[in-house]
Amino acid sequence: MSRLVDKSAQQMRLSQAVWQVLATQGLERLTIRAVAATAGCTTGLVMHRFPNRRALLMHARQLLHERTRARAESLEANSATPQMALRAVLRQGLALNKETTAESTVWLGFLAAAVGDEELTALHHANNHAWRRRVTRLVSAASPGWPDHHTTTVALALVALVEGTAALASSDPAGYPPATQEAMLDTALTALGLTWSSGQRE
C-alpha cells in the first residue's frame, strides 16, 4: 500500500510541476529539465513518466480539461436556475484570479504548440468540443424555445467571448480587469435575453 501511495504522490508532484512550469515560465521553458527542477527530482524520474516534451504538453492540456470540467460540473449542479448555471459556467472560464489566469496561460501555450501537430490538435479539438457541447446544452436549457441552429450559434459566440477575453486578460490583466471581464459577459447575456436575478450574482 505504501508503494502505491508513494507512486500516487510522486505522480501528483510531477503533474503539479508540469502545470507550474507551463503556467509561470511559458511554453519555451517547458522542458524535462525544468519540470525536474520544479519537482525537486531527477530528469530520469520525469522521463519515466513523460518521455518527451509532447507528453508534457498533452498532460498539461488534459489537466486543464479535467480541472475546468470538474469546476463547471460543480457550478452547474449548485445553480438554482438554467440561466444562473449558464452564467456560472461561462464565468469560470474567464481569467478572474490567479488560478483561472494560469489556466488561460496553459491553454494558450498548448494552442501555440499544437500548430502543425496533428496529435496535439486532435486532443485540443476533443476537449474544446466537450466544452462547446456543455455550453450549447446550457444555452438550450436557458432558452428552450430557440431553434437548434440559433442555440448553437449563440453558444459558439459565448464560447468565443469567454476564451478570447480570458486570453487577452491573461496577457494584459490591467487592460482587462476582472470587473471588466464580468461586465463583458453580463452585457452579452443580457443582450441575448439570457438573464438571471440581480440578487443571484456570484
Side-chain angles (χ1 to χ4, degrees), residues 64 68 71 90-97 99-108 131 158-173 176-178 180-182 184-185:
L64 173 60
T68 55
R71 190 167 61 231
L90 289 170
R91 180 179 178 275
Q92 64 84 36
L94 297 171
L96 299 177
N97 51 44
E99 178 185 10
T100 52
T101 297
E103 289 171 353
S104 180
T105 301
V106 169
W107 186 86
L108 285 169
W131 165 237
L158 289 171
V159 167
L161 170 66
V162 168
E163 293 185 348
T165 300
L168 291 167
S170 64
S171 60
D172 182 14
Y176 297 85
T180 297
Q181 294 179 60
E182 289 199 71
M184 292 167 65
L185 174 60

mmCIF file of all heavy atoms in Angstrom, residues 64 68 71 90-97 99-108 131 158-173 176-178 180-182 184-185:
data_model
loop_
_atom_site.group_PDB
_atom_site.id
_atom_site.type_symbol
_atom_site.label_atom_id
_atom_site.label_comp_id
_atom_site.label_asym_id
_atom_site.label_seq_id
_atom_site.Cartn_x
_atom_site.Cartn_y
_atom_site.Cartn_z
ATOM 1 N N LEU A 64 -5.810 20.583 -17.687
ATOM 2 C CA LEU A 64 -6.660 21.760 -17.858
ATOM 3 C C LEU A 64 -8.105 21.336 -18.076
ATOM 4 O O LEU A 64 -9.036 21.886 -17.469
ATOM 5 C CB LEU A 64 -6.160 22.599 -19.032
ATOM 6 C CG LEU A 64 -7.029 23.786 -19.443
ATOM 7 C CD1 LEU A 64 -7.168 24.765 -18.285
ATOM 8 C CD2 LEU A 64 -6.452 24.481 -20.662
ATOM 9 N N THR A 68 -11.174 22.240 -15.334
ATOM 10 C CA THR A 68 -12.310 23.078 -15.703
ATOM 11 C C THR A 68 -13.601 22.270 -15.765
ATOM 12 O O THR A 68 -14.674 22.789 -15.423
ATOM 13 C CB THR A 68 -12.053 23.777 -17.048
ATOM 14 O OG1 THR A 68 -11.735 22.801 -18.050
ATOM 15 C CG2 THR A 68 -10.885 24.756 -16.931
ATOM 16 N N ARG A 71 -14.873 21.815 -12.179
ATOM 17 C CA ARG A 71 -15.395 23.075 -11.637
ATOM 18 C C ARG A 71 -16.741 23.429 -12.276
ATOM 19 O O ARG A 71 -17.674 23.843 -11.593
ATOM 20 C CB ARG A 71 -14.380 24.193 -11.862
ATOM 21 C CG ARG A 71 -14.725 25.481 -11.123
ATOM 22 C CD ARG A 71 -13.562 26.437 -11.111
ATOM 23 N NE ARG A 71 -13.164 26.843 -12.434
ATOM 24 C CZ ARG A 71 -11.924 26.791 -12.906
ATOM 25 N NH1 ARG A 71 -10.939 26.327 -12.166
ATOM 26 N NH2 ARG A 71 -11.648 27.196 -14.130
ATOM 27 N N LEU A 90 -19.888 29.847 -17.664
ATOM 28 C CA LEU A 90 -19.131 30.734 -18.546
ATOM 29 C C LEU A 90 -18.154 31.592 -17.743
ATOM 30 O O LEU A 90 -17.002 31.792 -18.152
ATOM 31 C CB LEU A 90 -20.083 31.634 -19.327
ATOM 32 C CG LEU A 90 -20.910 30.951 -20.415
ATOM 33 C CD1 LEU A 90 -21.983 31.893 -20.938
ATOM 34 C CD2 LEU A 90 -20.024 30.471 -21.557
ATOM 35 N N ARG A 91 -18.602 32.089 -16.610
ATOM 36 C CA ARG A 91 -17.764 32.954 -15.784
ATOM 37 C C ARG A 91 -16.486 32.249 -15.339
ATOM 38 O O ARG A 91 -15.411 32.866 -15.296
ATOM 39 C CB ARG A 91 -18.571 33.416 -14.565
ATOM 40 C CG ARG A 91 -17.818 34.329 -13.610
ATOM 41 C CD ARG A 91 -18.712 34.743 -12.448
ATOM 42 N NE ARG A 91 -17.993 35.573 -11.488
ATOM 43 C CZ ARG A 91 -17.256 35.098 -10.498
ATOM 44 N NH1 ARG A 91 -17.120 33.775 -10.321
ATOM 45 N NH2 ARG A 91 -16.637 35.926 -9.680
ATOM 46 N N GLN A 92 -16.575 30.956 -15.018
ATOM 47 C CA GLN A 92 -15.384 30.258 -14.541
ATOM 48 C C GLN A 92 -14.338 30.094 -15.646
ATOM 49 O O GLN A 92 -13.199 29.745 -15.373
ATOM 50 C CB GLN A 92 -15.758 28.900 -13.934
ATOM 51 C CG GLN A 92 -16.360 27.892 -14.898
ATOM 52 C CD GLN A 92 -15.346 27.113 -15.684
ATOM 53 O OE1 GLN A 92 -14.282 26.768 -15.184
ATOM 54 N NE2 GLN A 92 -15.660 26.842 -16.950
ATOM 55 N N GLY A 93 -14.723 30.340 -16.892
ATOM 56 C CA GLY A 93 -13.761 30.279 -17.990
ATOM 57 C C GLY A 93 -12.983 31.565 -18.204
ATOM 58 O O GLY A 93 -12.048 31.602 -19.007
ATOM 59 N N LEU A 94 -13.368 32.626 -17.498
ATOM 60 C CA LEU A 94 -12.655 33.892 -17.600
ATOM 61 C C LEU A 94 -11.390 33.870 -16.735
ATOM 62 O O LEU A 94 -11.247 33.021 -15.859
ATOM 63 C CB LEU A 94 -13.571 35.043 -17.153
ATOM 64 C CG LEU A 94 -14.830 35.274 -17.994
ATOM 65 C CD1 LEU A 94 -15.736 36.294 -17.310
ATOM 66 C CD2 LEU A 94 -14.470 35.728 -19.405
ATOM 67 N N ALA A 95 -10.506 34.815 -16.965
ATOM 68 C CA ALA A 95 -9.266 34.912 -16.177
ATOM 69 C C ALA A 95 -9.488 35.906 -15.042
ATOM 70 O O ALA A 95 -9.053 37.058 -15.092
ATOM 71 C CB ALA A 95 -8.109 35.358 -17.061
ATOM 72 N N LEU A 96 -10.176 35.451 -13.994
ATOM 73 C CA LEU A 96 -10.607 36.341 -12.916
ATOM 74 C C LEU A 96 -9.705 36.310 -11.698
ATOM 75 O O LEU A 96 -9.785 37.195 -10.847
ATOM 76 C CB LEU A 96 -12.035 35.980 -12.491
ATOM 77 C CG LEU A 96 -13.106 36.097 -13.576
ATOM 78 C CD1 LEU A 96 -14.446 35.642 -13.026
ATOM 79 C CD2 LEU A 96 -13.192 37.522 -14.111
ATOM 80 N N ASN A 97 -8.869 35.293 -11.580
ATOM 81 C CA ASN A 97 -7.994 35.170 -10.423
ATOM 82 C C ASN A 97 -6.726 34.436 -10.834
ATOM 83 O O ASN A 97 -6.532 34.119 -12.016
ATOM 84 C CB ASN A 97 -8.710 34.439 -9.276
ATOM 85 C CG ASN A 97 -9.329 33.123 -9.735
ATOM 86 O OD1 ASN A 97 -8.696 32.354 -10.469
ATOM 87 N ND2 ASN A 97 -10.551 32.847 -9.307
ATOM 88 N N GLU A 99 -5.725 31.405 -10.299
ATOM 89 C CA GLU A 99 -5.954 30.051 -10.817
ATOM 90 C C GLU A 99 -6.449 30.070 -12.257
ATOM 91 O O GLU A 99 -5.900 29.368 -13.120
ATOM 92 C CB GLU A 99 -6.976 29.329 -9.937
ATOM 93 C CG GLU A 99 -7.325 27.927 -10.431
ATOM 94 C CD GLU A 99 -8.426 27.273 -9.622
ATOM 95 O OE1 GLU A 99 -9.052 27.966 -8.794
ATOM 96 O OE2 GLU A 99 -8.670 26.077 -9.815
ATOM 97 N N THR A 100 -7.479 30.859 -12.532
ATOM 98 C CA THR A 100 -8.039 30.855 -13.879
ATOM 99 C C THR A 100 -7.134 31.574 -14.880
ATOM 100 O O THR A 100 -7.145 31.258 -16.071
ATOM 101 C CB THR A 100 -9.443 31.480 -13.884
ATOM 102 O OG1 THR A 100 -9.410 32.767 -13.236
ATOM 103 C CG2 THR A 100 -10.424 30.584 -13.147
ATOM 104 N N THR A 101 -6.329 32.517 -14.403
ATOM 105 C CA THR A 101 -5.349 33.155 -15.293
ATOM 106 C C THR A 101 -4.280 32.144 -15.698
ATOM 107 O O THR A 101 -3.865 32.098 -16.864
ATOM 108 C CB THR A 101 -4.707 34.371 -14.600
ATOM 109 O OG1 THR A 101 -5.718 35.345 -14.342
ATOM 110 C CG2 THR A 101 -3.634 34.995 -15.481
ATOM 111 N N ALA A 102 -3.838 31.329 -14.751
ATOM 112 C CA ALA A 102 -2.865 30.280 -15.070
ATOM 113 C C ALA A 102 -3.454 29.302 -16.077
ATOM 114 O O ALA A 102 -2.768 28.848 -16.996
ATOM 115 C CB ALA A 102 -2.438 29.555 -13.800
ATOM 116 N N GLU A 103 -4.726 28.976 -15.911
ATOM 117 C CA GLU A 103 -5.372 28.050 -16.843
ATOM 118 C C GLU A 103 -5.417 28.625 -18.248
ATOM 119 O O GLU A 103 -5.185 27.909 -19.232
ATOM 120 C CB GLU A 103 -6.783 27.729 -16.347
ATOM 121 C CG GLU A 103 -6.793 26.855 -15.106
ATOM 122 C CD GLU A 103 -8.156 26.715 -14.475
ATOM 123 O OE1 GLU A 103 -9.098 27.400 -14.928
ATOM 124 O OE2 GLU A 103 -8.296 25.917 -13.533
ATOM 125 N N SER A 104 -5.696 29.912 -18.348
ATOM 126 C CA SER A 104 -5.710 30.552 -19.660
ATOM 127 C C SER A 104 -4.325 30.547 -20.293
ATOM 128 O O SER A 104 -4.174 30.318 -21.499
ATOM 129 C CB SER A 104 -6.217 31.994 -19.542
ATOM 130 O OG SER A 104 -6.239 32.625 -20.804
ATOM 131 N N THR A 105 -3.305 30.766 -19.480
ATOM 132 C CA THR A 105 -1.927 30.746 -19.980
ATOM 133 C C THR A 105 -1.553 29.361 -20.487
ATOM 134 O O THR A 105 -0.919 29.220 -21.542
ATOM 135 C CB THR A 105 -0.955 31.177 -18.872
ATOM 136 O OG1 THR A 105 -1.300 32.497 -18.421
ATOM 137 C CG2 THR A 105 0.481 31.178 -19.369
ATOM 138 N N VAL A 106 -1.955 28.327 -19.755
ATOM 139 C CA VAL A 106 -1.691 26.962 -20.189
ATOM 140 C C VAL A 106 -2.424 26.669 -21.499
ATOM 141 O O VAL A 106 -1.870 26.058 -22.415
ATOM 142 C CB VAL A 106 -2.127 25.952 -19.092
ATOM 143 C CG1 VAL A 106 -2.110 24.519 -19.622
ATOM 144 C CG2 VAL A 106 -1.203 26.065 -17.880
ATOM 145 N N TRP A 107 -3.668 27.119 -21.593
ATOM 146 C CA TRP A 107 -4.462 26.925 -22.812
ATOM 147 C C TRP A 107 -3.776 27.568 -24.015
ATOM 148 O O TRP A 107 -3.666 26.958 -25.084
ATOM 149 C CB TRP A 107 -5.853 27.525 -22.601
ATOM 150 C CG TRP A 107 -6.830 27.271 -23.708
ATOM 151 C CD1 TRP A 107 -7.637 26.186 -23.861
ATOM 152 C CD2 TRP A 107 -7.114 28.135 -24.810
ATOM 153 N NE1 TRP A 107 -8.411 26.330 -24.998
ATOM 154 C CE2 TRP A 107 -8.114 27.517 -25.596
ATOM 155 C CE3 TRP A 107 -6.626 29.386 -25.213
ATOM 156 C CZ2 TRP A 107 -8.632 28.088 -26.751
ATOM 157 C CZ3 TRP A 107 -7.147 29.967 -26.370
ATOM 158 C CH2 TRP A 107 -8.130 29.320 -27.123
ATOM 159 N N LEU A 108 -3.293 28.788 -23.837
ATOM 160 C CA LEU A 108 -2.620 29.490 -24.930
ATOM 161 C C LEU A 108 -1.315 28.796 -25.312
ATOM 162 O O LEU A 108 -0.988 28.674 -26.499
ATOM 163 C CB LEU A 108 -2.334 30.934 -24.521
ATOM 164 C CG LEU A 108 -3.534 31.876 -24.507
ATOM 165 C CD1 LEU A 108 -3.161 33.189 -23.822
ATOM 166 C CD2 LEU A 108 -4.018 32.137 -25.923
ATOM 167 N N TRP A 131 -16.399 21.156 -24.245
ATOM 168 C CA TRP A 131 -16.753 22.450 -23.654
ATOM 169 C C TRP A 131 -17.889 23.103 -24.447
ATOM 170 O O TRP A 131 -18.862 23.612 -23.882
ATOM 171 C CB TRP A 131 -15.510 23.323 -23.627
ATOM 172 C CG TRP A 131 -15.675 24.789 -23.396
ATOM 173 C CD1 TRP A 131 -15.252 25.782 -24.228
ATOM 174 C CD2 TRP A 131 -16.235 25.460 -22.249
ATOM 175 N NE1 TRP A 131 -15.526 27.011 -23.686
ATOM 176 C CE2 TRP A 131 -16.129 26.846 -22.480
ATOM 177 C CE3 TRP A 131 -16.820 25.009 -21.065
ATOM 178 C CZ2 TRP A 131 -16.587 27.787 -21.565
ATOM 179 C CZ3 TRP A 131 -17.288 25.946 -20.158
ATOM 180 C CH2 TRP A 131 -17.166 27.314 -20.406
ATOM 181 N N LEU A 158 -20.716 32.755 -27.347
ATOM 182 C CA LEU A 158 -20.371 32.896 -25.936
ATOM 183 C C LEU A 158 -19.040 32.219 -25.614
ATOM 184 O O LEU A 158 -18.234 32.742 -24.836
ATOM 185 C CB LEU A 158 -21.487 32.307 -25.065
ATOM 186 C CG LEU A 158 -22.791 33.113 -25.047
ATOM 187 C CD1 LEU A 158 -23.889 32.335 -24.349
ATOM 188 C CD2 LEU A 158 -22.589 34.471 -24.377
ATOM 189 N N VAL A 159 -18.798 31.064 -26.214
ATOM 190 C CA VAL A 159 -17.513 30.390 -26.033
ATOM 191 C C VAL A 159 -16.378 31.273 -26.548
ATOM 192 O O VAL A 159 -15.337 31.432 -25.891
ATOM 193 C CB VAL A 159 -17.506 29.029 -26.755
ATOM 194 C CG1 VAL A 159 -16.088 28.467 -26.860
ATOM 195 C CG2 VAL A 159 -18.401 28.032 -26.026
ATOM 196 N N ALA A 160 -16.577 31.859 -27.734
ATOM 197 C CA ALA A 160 -15.549 32.735 -28.310
ATOM 198 C C ALA A 160 -15.308 33.952 -27.425
ATOM 199 O O ALA A 160 -14.157 34.379 -27.224
ATOM 200 C CB ALA A 160 -15.967 33.171 -29.713
ATOM 201 N N LEU A 161 -16.386 34.510 -26.880
ATOM 202 C CA LEU A 161 -16.245 35.660 -25.991
ATOM 203 C C LEU A 161 -15.426 35.308 -24.756
ATOM 204 O O LEU A 161 -14.486 36.028 -24.390
ATOM 205 C CB LEU A 161 -17.627 36.153 -25.561
ATOM 206 C CG LEU A 161 -17.644 37.199 -24.439
ATOM 207 C CD1 LEU A 161 -17.007 38.508 -24.903
ATOM 208 C CD2 LEU A 161 -19.062 37.446 -23.939
ATOM 209 N N VAL A 162 -15.769 34.195 -24.128
ATOM 210 C CA VAL A 162 -15.092 33.809 -22.891
ATOM 211 C C VAL A 162 -13.630 33.460 -23.146
ATOM 212 O O VAL A 162 -12.732 33.928 -22.436
ATOM 213 C CB VAL A 162 -15.828 32.626 -22.228
ATOM 214 C CG1 VAL A 162 -14.994 32.021 -21.107
ATOM 215 C CG2 VAL A 162 -17.173 33.090 -21.674
ATOM 216 N N GLU A 163 -13.377 32.640 -24.144
ATOM 217 C CA GLU A 163 -11.994 32.220 -24.405
ATOM 218 C C GLU A 163 -11.141 33.383 -24.890
ATOM 219 O O GLU A 163 -9.972 33.509 -24.492
ATOM 220 C CB GLU A 163 -11.987 31.073 -25.406
ATOM 221 C CG GLU A 163 -12.597 29.800 -24.843
ATOM 222 C CD GLU A 163 -12.481 28.611 -25.777
ATOM 223 O OE1 GLU A 163 -12.122 28.798 -26.958
ATOM 224 O OE2 GLU A 163 -12.766 27.491 -25.325
ATOM 225 N N GLY A 164 -11.713 34.240 -25.741
ATOM 226 C CA GLY A 164 -10.963 35.396 -26.209
ATOM 227 C C GLY A 164 -10.673 36.374 -25.090
ATOM 228 O O GLY A 164 -9.557 36.906 -24.977
ATOM 229 N N THR A 165 -11.661 36.614 -24.244
ATOM 230 C CA THR A 165 -11.469 37.527 -23.121
ATOM 231 C C THR A 165 -10.422 36.997 -22.154
ATOM 232 O O THR A 165 -9.555 37.746 -21.682
ATOM 233 C CB THR A 165 -12.798 37.748 -22.381
ATOM 234 O OG1 THR A 165 -13.759 38.303 -23.286
ATOM 235 C CG2 THR A 165 -12.621 38.696 -21.204
ATOM 236 N N ALA A 166 -10.496 35.707 -21.845
ATOM 237 C CA ALA A 166 -9.519 35.106 -20.933
ATOM 238 C C ALA A 166 -8.108 35.205 -21.495
ATOM 239 O O ALA A 166 -7.152 35.483 -20.763
ATOM 240 C CB ALA A 166 -9.877 33.652 -20.659
ATOM 241 N N ALA A 167 -7.967 34.968 -22.795
ATOM 242 C CA ALA A 167 -6.649 35.047 -23.429
ATOM 243 C C ALA A 167 -6.090 36.464 -23.348
ATOM 244 O O ALA A 167 -4.914 36.669 -23.017
ATOM 245 C CB ALA A 167 -6.741 34.591 -24.884
ATOM 246 N N LEU A 168 -6.931 37.447 -23.647
ATOM 247 C CA LEU A 168 -6.487 38.840 -23.578
ATOM 248 C C LEU A 168 -6.147 39.243 -22.142
ATOM 249 O O LEU A 168 -5.149 39.920 -21.892
ATOM 250 C CB LEU A 168 -7.569 39.763 -24.136
ATOM 251 C CG LEU A 168 -7.804 39.676 -25.647
ATOM 252 C CD1 LEU A 168 -9.095 40.389 -26.023
ATOM 253 C CD2 LEU A 168 -6.628 40.255 -26.414
ATOM 254 N N ALA A 169 -6.980 38.818 -21.211
ATOM 255 C CA ALA A 169 -6.772 39.200 -19.812
ATOM 256 C C ALA A 169 -5.539 38.557 -19.213
ATOM 257 O O ALA A 169 -4.860 39.156 -18.370
ATOM 258 C CB ALA A 169 -8.003 38.831 -18.990
ATOM 259 N N SER A 170 -5.223 37.337 -19.625
ATOM 260 C CA SER A 170 -4.059 36.660 -19.059
ATOM 261 C C SER A 170 -2.758 37.325 -19.494
ATOM 262 O O SER A 170 -1.748 37.252 -18.792
ATOM 263 C CB SER A 170 -4.050 35.182 -19.470
ATOM 264 O OG SER A 170 -3.915 35.046 -20.878
ATOM 265 N N SER A 171 -2.788 38.006 -20.643
ATOM 266 C CA SER A 171 -1.584 38.690 -21.115
ATOM 267 C C SER A 171 -1.597 40.187 -20.814
ATOM 268 O O SER A 171 -0.557 40.840 -20.856
ATOM 269 C CB SER A 171 -1.415 38.491 -22.629
ATOM 270 O OG SER A 171 -2.537 39.016 -23.326
ATOM 271 N N ASP A 172 -2.785 40.724 -20.505
ATOM 272 C CA ASP A 172 -2.910 42.154 -20.209
ATOM 273 C C ASP A 172 -3.936 42.339 -19.086
ATOM 274 O O ASP A 172 -5.033 42.850 -19.310
ATOM 275 C CB ASP A 172 -3.350 42.913 -21.466
ATOM 276 C CG ASP A 172 -3.453 44.414 -21.243
ATOM 277 O OD1 ASP A 172 -2.933 44.909 -20.214
ATOM 278 O OD2 ASP A 172 -4.062 45.101 -22.096
ATOM 279 N N PRO A 173 -3.592 41.917 -17.869
ATOM 280 C CA PRO A 173 -4.558 41.982 -16.763
ATOM 281 C C PRO A 173 -5.015 43.400 -16.437
ATOM 282 O O PRO A 173 -6.158 43.597 -16.006
ATOM 283 C CB PRO A 173 -3.801 41.346 -15.597
ATOM 284 C CG PRO A 173 -2.352 41.422 -15.969
ATOM 285 C CD PRO A 173 -2.317 41.313 -17.458
ATOM 286 N N TYR A 176 -7.768 44.291 -18.913
ATOM 287 C CA TYR A 176 -8.997 43.506 -18.777
ATOM 288 C C TYR A 176 -9.138 43.011 -17.340
ATOM 289 O O TYR A 176 -9.035 41.819 -17.070
ATOM 290 C CB TYR A 176 -8.989 42.314 -19.744
ATOM 291 C CG TYR A 176 -8.953 42.714 -21.197
ATOM 292 C CD1 TYR A 176 -7.750 42.993 -21.844
ATOM 293 C CD2 TYR A 176 -10.135 42.826 -21.924
ATOM 294 C CE1 TYR A 176 -7.728 43.372 -23.183
ATOM 295 C CE2 TYR A 176 -10.119 43.200 -23.257
ATOM 296 C CZ TYR A 176 -8.910 43.471 -23.880
ATOM 297 O OH TYR A 176 -8.890 43.858 -25.201
ATOM 298 N N PRO A 177 -9.373 43.932 -16.411
ATOM 299 C CA PRO A 177 -9.514 43.508 -15.015
ATOM 300 C C PRO A 177 -10.764 42.648 -14.841
ATOM 301 O O PRO A 177 -11.653 42.647 -15.693
ATOM 302 C CB PRO A 177 -9.632 44.835 -14.263
ATOM 303 C CG PRO A 177 -10.133 45.809 -15.271
ATOM 304 C CD PRO A 177 -9.536 45.391 -16.570
ATOM 305 N N PRO A 178 -10.850 41.907 -13.742
ATOM 306 C CA PRO A 178 -11.991 41.010 -13.524
ATOM 307 C C PRO A 178 -13.352 41.676 -13.691
ATOM 308 O O PRO A 178 -14.262 41.107 -14.303
ATOM 309 C CB PRO A 178 -11.764 40.513 -12.099
ATOM 310 C CG PRO A 178 -10.278 40.523 -11.938
ATOM 311 C CD PRO A 178 -9.831 41.743 -12.676
ATOM 312 N N THR A 180 -14.205 44.169 -15.530
ATOM 313 C CA THR A 180 -14.468 44.414 -16.949
ATOM 314 C C THR A 180 -14.840 43.120 -17.659
ATOM 315 O O THR A 180 -15.759 43.095 -18.498
ATOM 316 C CB THR A 180 -13.232 45.044 -17.614
ATOM 317 O OG1 THR A 180 -12.966 46.311 -17.008
ATOM 318 C CG2 THR A 180 -13.443 45.235 -19.113
ATOM 319 N N GLN A 181 -14.139 42.046 -17.342
ATOM 320 C CA GLN A 181 -14.459 40.758 -17.952
ATOM 321 C C GLN A 181 -15.891 40.333 -17.628
ATOM 322 O O GLN A 181 -16.638 39.888 -18.503
ATOM 323 C CB GLN A 181 -13.489 39.684 -17.454
ATOM 324 C CG GLN A 181 -12.046 39.883 -17.878
ATOM 325 C CD GLN A 181 -11.173 38.774 -17.315
ATOM 326 O OE1 GLN A 181 -11.380 37.591 -17.596
ATOM 327 N NE2 GLN A 181 -10.204 39.150 -16.506
ATOM 328 N N GLU A 182 -16.271 40.470 -16.365
ATOM 329 C CA GLU A 182 -17.623 40.086 -15.968
ATOM 330 C C GLU A 182 -18.663 40.983 -16.630
ATOM 331 O O GLU A 182 -19.736 40.511 -17.032
ATOM 332 C CB GLU A 182 -17.764 40.131 -14.449
ATOM 333 C CG GLU A 182 -17.000 39.030 -13.736
ATOM 334 C CD GLU A 182 -17.516 38.810 -12.321
ATOM 335 O OE1 GLU A 182 -18.640 38.289 -12.188
ATOM 336 O OE2 GLU A 182 -16.796 39.168 -11.384
ATOM 337 N N MET A 184 -18.396 42.404 -19.523
ATOM 338 C CA MET A 184 -18.493 41.968 -20.915
ATOM 339 C C MET A 184 -19.409 40.752 -21.040
ATOM 340 O O MET A 184 -20.281 40.693 -21.924
ATOM 341 C CB MET A 184 -17.097 41.634 -21.453
ATOM 342 C CG MET A 184 -16.181 42.836 -21.597
ATOM 343 S SD MET A 184 -14.446 42.369 -21.869
ATOM 344 C CE MET A 184 -14.556 41.556 -23.473
ATOM 345 N N LEU A 185 -19.229 39.788 -20.160
ATOM 346 C CA LEU A 185 -20.066 38.592 -20.183
ATOM 347 C C LEU A 185 -21.520 38.944 -19.900
ATOM 348 O O LEU A 185 -22.430 38.487 -20.608
ATOM 349 C CB LEU A 185 -19.552 37.578 -19.160
ATOM 350 C CG LEU A 185 -20.410 36.324 -18.964
ATOM 351 C CD1 LEU A 185 -20.546 35.529 -20.253
ATOM 352 C CD2 LEU A 185 -19.819 35.451 -17.860
#
